[in-house]
Amino acid sequence: MRILLVEDDAMIGEAVSVALKDAAYAVDWVRDGATANNVLQDGEHQAVLLDLGLPGRDGLEVLRRLRRAGNTVAVVVITARDGVDDRIKGLDFGADDYLVKPFDLNELLARLRAIIRRQGGQAAPVLSNGTVTLDPASHEARCGDVVELLSAREFALLHALLLRPGAILTRDELEERIYGWNEEVESNVIDVLIHGVRRKLGAAIIKNVRGAGWMVDKPT
């Protein structure tokens, strides 16, 4: 899952970035509104954490432009603006959630998981295609009677596939969901991660579509 963090405070940005990476998200961090506006046109990210008091262009203006362009990416506002009118404006401009600083990082992660579930049409706190179940909060995967704790990148890979059961994801698409801009993509990492998930949960969990990519089955 690829997250864009838009935050100009170095201390807050570093803390949030580390927490997101520890939770198996690929994180790209920008520090001003103009850069955020340009980056969001590419459609690479599945969610945005957006500060409002940004240099160059205010976060509300970034949000307004994003929604006017028809971009439906999930947006969580993270800001020191704690007035009721500020919250109403942020939500009315198109934010999916609004979190006031200082906030607990675990609460931020929980809110992000909830929004990602809704974006994917999921109501339950876990992802499942009827064969394998994945818990985003604990990173545990269950297949039949087998329960395994996945590594951060194993989780990120299986999470990406379970968000779109029945869809084939290419190597590039999976790498985009696992690595941020400044992270070096390791050689054959997708093959290694798929092997690890299959070893833990069974060879039939992830299917290889020769010449195209990988998928998990649709719910039956």
Side-chain angles (χ1 to χ4, degrees):
M1 177 66 68
R2 194 83 171 266
I3 307 295
L4 180 65
L5 171 62
V6 189
E7 171 61 66
D8 66 319
D9 186 290
M11 185 176 298
I12 294 174
E14 182 64 28
V16 173
S17 182
V18 169
L20 290 169
K21 289 177 181 178
D22 287 345
Y25 295 105
V27 186
D28 301 319
W29 177 14
V30 299
R31 305 186 186 208
D32 65 86
T35 302
N37 187 66
N38 292 333
V39 168
L40 286 166
Q41 295 179 33
D42 296 334
E44 295 180 347
H45 300 89
Q46 286 73 55
V48 182
L49 301 180
L50 179 64
D51 187 19
L52 296 185
L54 298 168
R57 179 169 293 157
D58 186 79
L60 281 177
E61 181 59 24
V62 173
L63 181 58
R64 191 207 305 262
R65 286 174 176 245
L66 185 71
R67 296 312 190 209
R68 283 182 175 175
N71 193 324
T72 60
V73 65
V75 177
V76 180
V77 167
I78 52 173
T79 182
R81 299 179 189 175
D82 60 354
V84 173
D85 288 344
D86 292 315
R87 299 185 195 195
I88 291 171
K89 185 179 292 186
L91 293 168
D92 282 346
F93 274 32
D96 297 276
D97 204 348
Y98 194 106
L99 193 57
V100 176
K101 300 173 182 175
F103 50 77
D104 184 272
L105 288 170
N106 287 324
E107 181 182 0
L108 172 63
L109 294 173
R111 288 173 180 259
L112 188 56
R113 289 193 298 269
I115 287 172
I116 291 169
R117 285 199 306 271
R118 293 198 297 272
Q119 287 278 315
Q122 298 277 342
V126 297
L127 291 174
S128 179
N129 67 342
T131 300
V132 61
T133 299
L134 184 65
D135 187 338
S138 67
H139 291 191
E140 286 186 339
R142 176 185 294 273
C143 183
D145 294 329
V146 176
V147 179
E148 290 283 352
L149 180 64
L150 302 184
S151 71
R153 285 185 171 152
E154 287 172 346
F155 166 82
L157 180 139
L158 187 56
H159 187 265
L161 291 168
L162 280 171
L163 281 174
R164 298 179 58 192
I168 300 169
L169 298 187
T170 67
R171 184 180 300 275
D172 287 346
E173 287 173 328
L174 289 171
E175 287 176 351
E176 285 178 359
R177 286 159 175 76
I178 295 172
Y179 289 92
W181 287 330
N182 298 321
E183 296 179 286
E184 183 179 353
V185 179
E186 302 167 39
S187 177
N188 296 325
V189 65
I190 301 302
D191 305 271
V192 172
L193 294 174
I194 288 172
H195 174 76
V197 173
R198 285 171 170 168
R199 178 175 52 81
K200 291 178 178 180
L201 299 173
I205 292 300
I206 299 175
K207 290 181 166 53
N208 178 26
V209 182
R210 187 174 297 277
W214 295 269
M215 61 175 284
V216 295
D217 288 333
K218 288 183 178 181
T220 54

